[in-house]
Structure formats: structure tokens, C-alpha cells
């Protein structure tokens, strides 16, 4: 396998499937199957999942809610998604641990870097919930931060788009996809891969990012086997 340890970043919206909000059990089971494929090949897997299918702090703030309060509500949404994913993975026979940046000890371990690394070494899948534990930071930033901390080889950002384009492919049918691109070129072209904080953190620590379509069956395994799926952002 090309990567021994990965940090998989999933959006909360991805869990909605065809629904307007919430969690689609069918989509959850599909993701669990995809993750099991690489787990069975010996890949060590850490996961960060967003909470946009339940609540977004930014959206709350735009409607008059206090931004800090909204962001903490968003963190709790990521914990709900983490618990749902944990259940789906364990239904497929995988061992998991949910660690959260906020202490919710009845349902999850507090985030401890050394413990997380030890779980990964033992073949357990570690899901990181509650973002960084701080308002104003996105789950993209949490994904990069945790990826650096647990010494992941790569950030795999699973989206509904199959890579990075020079324009929005859902709006512009003539948009051109990049097979690979450097961090500097992403910044020069003003492309949207991750939010600026997350992207800069990844660049400074030389942690590559692969943006790919998580909804296409087999893509996750192909990336871990070294196939050119999606777009690789590298130094």
C-alpha cells in the first residue's frame, strides 16, 4: 500500500445521502464498507468528520446567533456524526475509538495524542470529534492538525467532486481538472481546496492532500494502492 497511515476527512453533508438533513444509514454503511477495504489491507486510519448535516456555526452566526455559541453547537454535531460512523464501522467488525476535543467522557475518550497513536498502531480506527475544541476553527483545520499530530502520511479529503478544478465543475461544464498541483499554485490560482488556515498548516508541515470523490465505490482503496485518483496537492 502506498500509505501506511491516513487521515480521512469527510464532510457532514456527505452523510445526508439524498436527504435534506441528518444522517442516511445507507450512505453510512457504504462508507463503512469503503473504510473496511483499506483497513483489511493494514492501513492505519484516523477520521475527522464535519457537522454540516446537523448544524453550522457560521450559518447560525449569519442569522444573529453568537458565533462562539454556534461553533460549539457545530462541534457537538461532529460528535453525533462521529458516534454514527463509529456504530457503522463496528457493525462491520472493526475496532474503533472516538476521541473528542471537548470532554464528553460518557461517550468518548478525551483527545490524547499518544493514546490516539497507540490505538492506530493496534489497528483501531480513531475518529476525532469536536474539531479542535476551539471556536473559529473549521473541521478542515482539525483534520490537518490531527493528521500532523498522529504522523499521518496524507490527508484524504473525501468530497462529492472527483478532484480540484480550475472552476466549479457543478456550474461550469468546461472546468479543467488537475491531476496534481502544488500548494503554491493552488494559492496563486485562488482555488478552493480547504480553508486558508488548514491549507497553510498542511503546506508548512509538508503534509500532502488528496481531494477525491468518496461516493464512487473503490476510490479509497485505489488511492491507498497508489492509483491516480482525484487530485494530489503537494509541495
Amino acid at each position: 500500500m502506498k500509505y501506511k497511515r491516513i487521515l480521512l476527512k469527510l464532510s457532514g453533508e456527505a452523510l445526508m445521502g439524498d436527504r435534506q438533513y441528518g444522517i442516511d444509514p445507507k450512505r453510512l454503511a457504504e462508507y463503512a464498507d469503503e473504510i473496511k477495504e483499506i483497513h483489511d489491507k493494514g492501513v492505519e486510519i484516523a477520521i475527522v468528520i464535519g457537522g454540516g448535516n446537523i448544524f453550522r456555526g457560521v450559518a447560525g452566526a449569519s442569522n444573529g446567533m453568537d458565533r462562539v455559541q454556534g461553533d460549539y453547537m457545530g462541534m457537538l454535531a461532529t460528535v453525533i456524526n462521529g458516534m454514527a460512523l463509529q456504530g457503522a464501522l463496528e457493525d462491520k467488525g472493526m475496532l474503533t475509538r472516538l476521541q473528542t476535543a471537548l470532554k464528553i467522557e460518557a461517550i468518548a475518550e478525551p483527545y490524547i495524542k499518544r493514546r490516539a497513536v497507540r490505538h492506530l498502531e493496534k489497528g483501531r480506527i480513531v475518529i476525532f470529534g469536536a474539531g479542535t475544541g476551539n471556536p473559529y476553527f473549521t473541521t478542515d483545520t482539525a483534520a490537518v492538525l490531527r493528521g500532523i499530530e498522529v504522523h499521518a502520511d496524507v490527508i484524504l479529503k473525501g468530497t462529492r467532486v472527483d478532484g480540484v478544478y480550475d472552476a466549479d465543475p457543478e456550474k461550469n461544464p468546461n472546468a479543467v481538472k488537475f491531476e496534481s498541483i502544488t500548494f503554491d499554485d493552488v494559492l496563486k490560482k485562488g482555488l478552493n481546496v480547504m480553508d486558508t488556515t488548514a491549507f497553510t498548516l498542511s503546506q508548512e508541515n509538508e503534509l500532502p492532500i488528496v481531494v477525491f470523490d468518496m461516493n464512487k465505490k473503490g476510490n479509497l482503496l485505489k488511492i491507498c494502492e497508489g492509483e491516480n485518483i482525484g487530485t494530489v496537492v503537494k509541495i
Side-chain angles (χ1 to χ4, degrees):
M1 305 297 280
K2 182 176 182 179
Y3 304 114
K4 176 168 176 54
R5 180 177 295 169
I6 67 162
L7 189 297
L8 177 63
K9 169 61 170 67
L10 298 173
S11 70
E13 288 91 337
L15 296 188
M16 292 190 298
D18 295 326
R19 301 183 177 197
Q20 297 299 311
Y21 62 89
I23 299 169
D24 179 4
K26 181 172 177 286
R27 175 58 56 82
L28 209 53
E30 290 170 354
Y31 281 1
D33 285 333
E34 296 291 305
I35 292 165
K36 188 175 191 305
E37 281 190 328
I38 63 170
H39 181 263
D40 289 348
K41 297 275 189 180
V43 178
E44 296 174 3
I45 307 160
I47 302 172
V48 169
I49 189 162
N53 56 320
I54 299 172
F55 189 83
R56 277 187 176 279
V58 173
S62 69
N63 290 317
M65 179 180 286
D66 177 72
R67 172 65 189 272
V68 173
Q69 190 83 338
D71 279 355
Y72 278 116
M73 291 170 69
M75 289 178 217
L76 295 178
T78 71
V79 177
I80 292 171
N81 284 339
M83 292 175 68
L85 183 60
Q86 181 179 38
L89 294 172
E90 290 182 346
D91 283 345
K92 305 287 183 183
M94 289 167 275
L95 297 175
T96 70
R97 291 292 186 274
L98 175 61
Q99 292 196 344
T100 57
L102 301 174
K103 287 188 178 181
I104 319 176
E105 291 169 346
I107 56 174
E109 296 178 358
Y111 171 68
I112 299 171
K113 182 242 181 189
R114 291 178 186 274
R115 184 178 288 178
V117 170
R118 187 69 181 130
H119 287 323
L120 292 169
E121 290 171 347
K122 288 185 174 181
R124 298 169 186 148
I125 296 172
V126 183
I127 303 167
F128 298 119
T132 66
N134 301 290
Y136 296 99
F137 290 92
T138 66
T139 48
D140 276 351
T141 300
V144 174
L145 178 62
R146 297 291 182 249
I148 294 164
E149 288 179 312
V150 302
H151 311 296
D153 300 321
V154 66
I155 302 287
L156 301 184
K157 184 172 181 181
T159 68
R160 62 186 183 188
V161 181
D162 65 343
V164 178
Y165 287 76
D166 63 354
D168 187 342
E170 294 181 344
K171 297 177 181 176
N172 183 357
N174 297 317
V176 177
K177 177 186 167 188
F178 299 98
E179 298 298 325
S180 67
I181 190 168
T182 66
F183 281 97
D184 286 340
D185 282 343
V186 168
L187 293 172
K188 285 175 187 172
K189 296 176 187 294
L191 304 176
N192 186 22
V193 175
M194 284 183 164
D195 71 82
T196 308
T197 306
F199 192 75
T200 303
L201 193 59
S202 188
Q203 182 182 25
E204 287 176 350
N205 289 274
E206 299 184 7
L207 182 61
I209 302 166
V210 179
V211 180
F212 71 105
D213 182 357
M214 182 67 187
N215 296 332
K216 186 171 181 182
K217 187 173 174 58
N219 269 358
L220 187 58
L221 177 61
K222 289 175 181 175
I223 289 171
C224 291
E225 288 178 334
E227 287 192 38
N228 292 325
I229 301 293
T231 300
V232 182
V233 184
K234 54 191 178 181
I235 298 297

